[in-house]
Amino acid sequence: MKKLIIFSLSILAISCTGDFGDAVDFKEVENPNLSESSVVGQPNSASIWLSGLERQLAIAFNETLVLSELGSDNYVNTQTFFNQFMDGLEIQITDPDMRDTQRQIQRLRELALFGLSQVGPGDPNYDTATEAEFNFFEGMSYLMSAMYFSALPAEPTGVPITANEHYQNAIASFDTAIALNPQPEYHLAKARANYYLGNKNEAVAAATAALGLSGDFDRFVLFDQANGPVNIFENALYQRATFDDLQPLPTLDFLDPKYSFLSTSQDAPVHYLKAEEAYLILAEAALADNNITAARTNLNNLLDLIDTREVRNIDDSIEQRSQVDEGSRPDSEDIVVNGRDGLVLSRQDGNVDVPSVSGTSLTAADVAAMQDDDAGLALLYRTRQEVFIAEGLRFVDMGVKLVIDENEILLNENINEGDLGTTPVIPSFIAAVVGDLDAINYEPGSTTASTVIDLNQILVNNKTSDAVVPFE
């Protein structure tokens, strides 16, 4: 039956299979300025190709951020602007967003490999820094494959490999990049891969190396407001204004919107590899080692760094926090959430200050009182949630995985329904609270609000699971 379906859909193979030859295939190009010879073998073609990789990474982030942030407890989708299934973690192979996310990550890989094998070697001005970047982008494609999928092919129409294998491939690519031109973000990317693999010593070594090169580095994805790609997530958080497409948990209100309008030429960037992550990895490793002194030191260093990051003063008064019904969500700094104040902003009273890189409710007093126990670990995960909001990491911390799309399953002979990667991965303790991930208790006009669940505590309660809290 599968082969009959493949035959009947063969006319769609170019657009629907995992064969990404079209990403670098010049055979059908008629414009002589866009032929293969106009790129391969030309001076400075490698740097131009590198710009294309930066653009492709932005496109890939536009796919992953939407799904991962909706699937997490960070935001609730209150309109029809985005995927209508992810809020309830209804992860389906027929969802076109699965197809698009998978394809854009794999396209990033193929573009990087073509740069390494063809464009770079053919450019008389090719240098080690650009070669390192090509390897870095290849590593990012494997890293994103592992973070968001339990299994994906690592080559066109190939046999799917596991997330752990993708992490290992990512580490190998980052190691090559480091050997060519060590950069702090290369080390941090390696640290993240080892972190999610549960390789504590290796993650600590890589995070330490990253901070040794820079204590405040920040690698970000650029978006082009005029020519595209624009930051689609920023559209929903800010530019669509009264549509209120996405609403954060009240505990995260002070961090929203992380992305807001910059200019007619530049859209808000996504900060995807920053020094804050290294400090959090080191702090979590210290807690796992029962070294509360080291954990506190790293968290205090984190707070010092966050104090230096940009805070944007913006007019967000058009944002109603209405969730369709007037007054249905907290919208005043007088409101206490889960017994804590200072988490909600008064957007109708004038401009508000919102961190654009990293923000947190963690204080030096919290750090001083912290212990190497479950409460301390839950506090660290709350801090991770705040620092990485709108960056796609909370979804990964929850242990949830997307699926290979239906077209790939039908047209790739190496994949059948039911195989690893074709069914969603949702840990049982997450599945049990799906309906409450974004749920809040709030009476309009009240001075208090609360979240229905504390997902950070749930993660810590299940720290022995292989799906979450990797150092435990």
Side-chain angles (χ1 to χ4, degrees):
M1 180 64 180
K2 180 177 178 181
K3 290 184 178 179
L4 290 175
I5 295 173
I6 292 173
F7 179 78
S8 66
L9 295 178
S10 61
I11 192 171
L12 301 175
I14 292 177
S15 62
C16 296
T17 70
D19 186 350
F20 291 86
D22 60 317
V24 292
D25 185 2
F26 297 88
K27 293 191 293 296
E28 301 301 323
V29 174
E30 296 180 3
N31 186 335
N33 296 316
L34 297 177
S35 65
E36 183 171 356
S37 61
S38 71
V39 176
V40 177
Q42 297 300 312
N44 303 315
S45 56
S47 62
I48 296 171
W49 198 259
L50 185 57
S51 296
L53 276 165
E54 291 279 7
R55 182 180 188 277
Q56 180 58 33
L57 185 65
I59 294 171
F61 264 97
N62 271 338
E63 299 294 342
T64 60
L65 282 185
V66 169
L67 295 182
S68 60
E69 290 299 306
L70 284 178
S72 77
D73 60 331
N74 287 345
Y75 295 96
V76 60
N77 186 6
T78 64
Q79 300 287 339
T80 58
F81 184 49
F82 280 155
N83 189 290
Q84 296 303 295
F85 305 107
M86 286 302 296
D87 254 342
L89 289 181
E90 298 177 35
I91 303 174
Q92 306 170 7
I93 62 173
T94 54
D95 187 339
D97 286 330
M98 301 298 148
R99 175 200 65 209
D100 295 343
T101 300
Q102 173 186 334
R103 285 182 60 82
Q104 297 304 344
I105 292 172
Q106 292 172 319
R107 186 177 177 88
L108 178 68
R109 179 196 67 222
E110 292 302 305
L111 290 171
L113 289 172
F114 192 75
L116 285 167
S117 65
Q118 300 293 324
V119 181
D123 180 357
N125 297 324
Y126 191 39
D127 57 24
T128 56
T130 304
E131 184 180 359
E133 283 286 278
F134 286 163
N135 280 281
F136 168 71
F137 280 106
E138 181 188 1
M140 282 301 302
S141 73
Y142 299 132
L143 183 62
M144 296 172 83
S145 296
M147 288 168 59
Y148 298 113
F149 294 87
S150 58
L152 271 185
E155 58 185 1
T157 63
V159 177
I161 65 173
T162 67
N164 283 1
E165 291 173 299
H166 278 294
Y167 279 130
Q168 294 293 350
N169 286 344
I171 290 168
S173 293
F174 297 141
D175 276 338
T176 302
I178 290 167
L180 289 166
N181 184 36
Q183 298 295 315
E185 63 266 32
Y186 299 172
H187 285 288
L188 180 61
K190 179 181 176 181
R192 183 187 293 179
N194 277 300
Y195 172 79
Y196 284 121
L197 283 170
N199 298 335
K200 183 176 64 177
N201 293 338
E202 291 84 352
V204 166
T208 302
L211 293 173
L213 291 174
S214 172
D216 63 353
F217 66 89
D218 177 25
R219 177 99 183 211
F220 47 85
V221 184
L222 288 172
F223 295 88
D224 189 330
Q225 182 69 29
N227 302 302
V230 301
N231 184 339
I232 292 177
F233 211 65
E234 185 268 334
N235 288 355
L237 293 182
Y238 188 72
Q239 286 202 61
R240 279 171 58 92
T242 53
F243 283 97
D244 291 351
D245 291 305
L246 301 179
Q247 294 296 323
L249 285 177
T251 50
L252 303 170
D253 184 273
F254 69 106
L255 300 169
D256 182 77
K258 188 165 195 171
Y259 311 126
S260 52
F261 181 76
L262 292 183
S263 71
T264 56
S265 60
Q266 182 182 353
D267 210 349
V270 172
H271 305 267
Y272 68 101
L273 286 170
K274 54 191 184 184
E276 288 89 332
E277 185 174 355
Y279 287 121
L280 284 164
I281 288 173
L282 293 177
E284 188 169 345
L287 286 179
D289 292 338
N290 299 314
N291 187 344
I292 189 60
T293 300
R296 289 172 180 159
T297 297
N298 282 291
L299 289 176
N300 280 320
N301 289 338
L302 172 73
L303 291 178
D304 290 342
L305 174 59
I306 290 175
D307 281 344
T308 70
R309 296 304 199 188
E310 180 192 49
V311 175
R312 300 200 69 214
N313 183 257
I314 62 173
D315 179 1
D316 201 32
S317 59
I318 199 169
E319 166 71 69
Q320 298 298 309
R321 284 286 182 268
S322 63
Q323 196 185 4
V324 181
D325 298 323
E326 187 66 30
S328 61
R329 297 189 76 85
D331 193 30
S332 169
E333 63 186 18
D334 296 329
I335 296 172
V336 176
V337 184
N338 291 351
R340 301 162 59 214
D341 56 19
L343 300 181
V344 177
L345 303 180
S346 296
R347 296 167 196 276
Q348 310 307 314
D349 296 340
N351 283 16
V352 291
D353 291 330
V354 180
S356 65
V357 180
S358 296
T360 183
S361 63
L362 185 72
T363 66
D366 294 331
V367 175
M370 187 179 190
Q371 300 297 320
D372 56 344
D373 54 15
D374 281 356
L377 189 58
L379 179 61
L380 185 142
Y381 268 81
R382 189 188 81 190
T383 306
R384 280 184 64 91
Q385 181 181 22
E386 293 172 346
V387 170
F388 300 136
I389 187 174
E391 293 177 16
L393 289 191
R394 179 65 165 185
F395 184 83
V396 188
D397 285 353
M398 290 166 56
V400 181
K401 301 286 188 182
L402 304 175
V403 291
I404 298 173
D405 82 280
E406 184 179 43
N407 289 337
E408 181 83 21
I409 295 170
L410 292 174
L411 298 169
N412 185 337
E413 287 290 348
N414 294 300
I415 308 175
N416 292 287
E417 283 195 61
D419 289 352
L420 180 66
T422 65
T423 56
V425 174
I426 305 174
S428 59
F429 48 88
I430 299 294
V433 297
V434 164
D436 293 328
L437 284 177
D438 309 312
I440 65 172
N441 295 312
Y442 176 67
E443 291 294 329
S446 173
T447 58
T448 62
S450 63
T451 57
V452 171
I453 62 170
D454 182 349
L455 187 56
N456 295 305
Q457 190 60 55
I458 291 173
L459 293 176
V460 172
N461 291 346
N462 292 275
K463 63 184 180 180
T464 57
S465 167
D466 291 338
V468 297
V469 192
F471 289 164
E472 295 292 330

